[in-house]
Amino acid sequence: DPASQDAYLRALAWWSPLWLGEVAPPPVGELSGPEACRFPGAACRASDVLHRDVFAAATLRRSPIATGARVTSPEEVVAWLDLGLRAQLEGDGSWGATVRARVDIPAALGDDGLPPIARGLLAQLGGEPAPVPHPSAATTGVVLPALLGAAARALAGGNSAEVRNAALGEQGAALDALDAIAQPPALPDGALAAGVELRAAGVARYVRARVPDAPPETTLVAIARAYRRDPQVAEHVARDAIAAAVDAAAANAALGAAYEALGDPARARVAWQAAVDASAEPAYLAGLAVAAAKGNDPDAALIFGTSAAAASGDPAVTWVGLARALIGSGELQQGLTATRSAIDLAGPDALPAALDLAIVASRGLARDEQAADLAAKRARLAPAVAGEPVDTDPTDVDAARAELARAPSASALARLWVATRWSPRDTDGRIALLRALPAGDPRLRPLLLELVTLAGDADPVRALAAVQALP
C-alpha cells in the first residue's frame, strides 16, 4: 500500500535523521514514491524528480548529504543546478552552497558533455576555473532547463525581456523572481500608503502572522504607533482592543507578539501570561517561554517551554525557538539544555537549526570537542552550510556581507544589493544594506518595504529580524 510505504519512510527518517555514515540506509527495494527522496541514492536522483514531482524535489533538496557521493554526470549536475537555484529563490537555501554540497565540481567541469551554460554557472558558483571543452568532445544530449538559461542571462546583467526570452516560455514563481532581479530598483507591489509608519506596519504584519485570530491590522498599527510615543499610552489602546475582542486569549497573545516585535520582553511576558491564563494553547505557552527567556528568567523559560513542547504537535520546533531566545539572551547553559531536547526530538526539518544553535552554545561555553562533534553531524544535513564564502558567486549573500564588512565601498554595496535580489527572503543582507547605504539612496525605500513584507514571513526568526530592523 503506497500510503503505508510513505508512512514507514517518514517515520524512519524522523527517528534516525543522523543515519548517514552511522547506519546503512534502507535497501533500495524499500524505497518507493516521493518519500524515497529523503534517502539519496539510486532510488531518487535529481534528474528523475526535476519538473516531475514538486514534493519529491523539495524532499531531495533537504535529504542528508552523503560524504563521497557528490554527483559528476552532466545530467545530474544540471539537475542540481536547477534544484539549487529554485531553493535560493524560494528562500530554502543558498544556490552555491547547495551545488557545492551535492556536486563534485572539479570532476564535473572535466566532463566535456556538460552544456556550456551549465559549465559557466558551475564554475562561477564553485569558485573554480572552467576548462575549455575540447572541440571534438561528444555531446551527451543533456537538455539545459530553461530556468538555468534565464538565470545565466540575469547573472550577466540582462534586462527583463532578455531573461524572459531565455526562459523559452516557461512560467512560474521562480521565473518571476528572476525577472525581478533583472528589474531596476522599484517599490514592491502593495507599497504602503503615505503617513503609515514602517515599524508600525511591520509590527502589524508580524503579529498577524503569529496570531491568526489577532485584532484587525489597523488596531495593531495603532498600538505600535502609540508605543512609539509612550508605552503607557499603548497599554491604554491595548486594553480597549482586548475589551472589544471576541476572543480575549487571542487578543492578549497578539499583544504579546506585538511587544515582542517592539523589543519589550517584560510587557510581552505579561500579555502572554494573560493569554495562557485564558486558554493554555501550545502557541501561547511557547510565546510565554520565549518572553521569559528574553526577560532574563531562563529557569522559568525552561518550565514554560516543557509545557509548550509537551502540548505541541512538533516539540522540536518549540525547543528550537526557545533555545534561540535563550542563547540570544546570553543564557548559554540553559540554551544548550533546550537544544539537547530539540535534537533528541527533531526530525529532518528541525534538526539543522537545532544543531546550529547547539554548536553556537557549545563554542560559547568553550566546549570545543563537543562543538566539533556537532559540526560533523551538521555537515551531513541540508540545507547545506555555505562554509567559506566564494567570491565568484554573485548570489552568495554571506560572501557579499563579508566583503562589505571588510572593505566598505560602492562596489561592495552594489554586490550585496545584487545578492539580496537573488535571495528574496533574506533579512541579514537587507539589514546590512540598510545600515550602510547613505541617506537619499534610491535603494533604501525598496529595502524598507521589503522588510515590512518579510515581517509577515512564515519563519518567525526571519520575521522578527525584519520588523526590528525597521526605523
Side-chain angles (χ1 to χ4, degrees), residues 162-428:
E162 292 171 330
V163 168
R164 288 203 171 269
N165 287 339
L168 303 176
E170 178 169 326
Q171 300 294 326
L175 180 60
D176 292 341
L178 284 177
D179 188 30
I181 294 168
Q183 300 280 359
L187 298 182
D189 291 340
L192 296 173
V196 176
E197 295 177 9
L198 293 171
R199 171 63 77 89
V203 168
R205 286 177 183 263
Y206 177 79
V207 173
R208 296 288 296 176
R210 289 285 311 274
V211 186
D213 296 328
E217 191 165 328
T218 52
T219 301
L220 299 171
V221 167
I223 292 171
R225 294 183 71 175
Y227 184 90
R228 188 158 193 164
R229 293 194 303 274
D230 185 340
Q232 298 278 352
V233 176
E235 289 186 2
H236 290 297
V237 177
R239 278 198 293 270
D240 291 342
I242 292 169
V246 175
D247 186 343
N252 276 296
L255 185 58
Y259 283 133
E260 180 183 19
L262 291 164
D264 191 334
R267 285 185 169 86
R269 181 171 179 175
V270 172
W272 282 116
Q273 184 67 67
V276 169
D277 291 343
S279 179
E281 303 287 336
Y284 301 169
L285 284 164
L288 177 59
V290 169
K294 292 183 176 180
N296 299 316
D297 193 351
D299 295 331
L302 288 175
I303 293 171
F304 297 141
T306 301
S307 298
S312 70
D314 190 348
V317 173
T318 300
W319 283 118
V320 166
L322 180 55
R324 183 174 283 109
L326 287 165
I327 294 169
S329 301
E331 304 292 350
L332 300 182
Q333 186 59 59
Q334 289 87 346
L336 197 59
T337 298
T339 63
R340 186 180 298 114
S341 296
I343 291 169
D344 287 344
L345 297 167
D349 292 338
L351 188 57
L355 287 171
D356 287 338
L357 290 165
I359 291 167
V360 171
S362 298
R363 288 174 177 164
L365 293 168
R367 299 181 184 180
D368 297 335
E369 185 176 344
Q370 176 174 286
D373 178 63
L374 291 166
K377 289 181 169 64
R378 177 63 179 89
R380 301 179 189 140
L381 302 176
V385 179
E388 290 297 320
V390 175
D391 288 337
T392 60
D393 180 1
T395 72
D396 190 334
V397 176
D398 292 335
R401 286 172 53 216
E403 179 183 337
L404 180 63
R406 182 175 62 250
S409 64
S411 63
L413 285 170
R415 179 184 178 185
L416 184 52
W417 169 263
V418 170
T420 58
R421 301 306 92 196
W422 284 89
S423 301
R425 294 178 66 204
D426 168 79
T427 53
D428 291 341

Side-chain angles (χ1 to χ4, degrees), residues 120-178:
L121 290 173
L122 188 61
Q124 197 168 15
L125 296 173
E128 298 280 347
V132 178
H134 192 277
S136 61
T139 179
T140 60
V142 176
V143 177
L144 187 78
L147 190 66
L148 290 183
R153 288 303 310 147
L155 280 172
N159 59 35
S160 176
E162 292 171 330
V163 168
R164 288 203 171 269
N165 287 339
L168 303 176
E170 178 169 326
Q171 300 294 326
L175 180 60
D176 292 341
L178 284 177

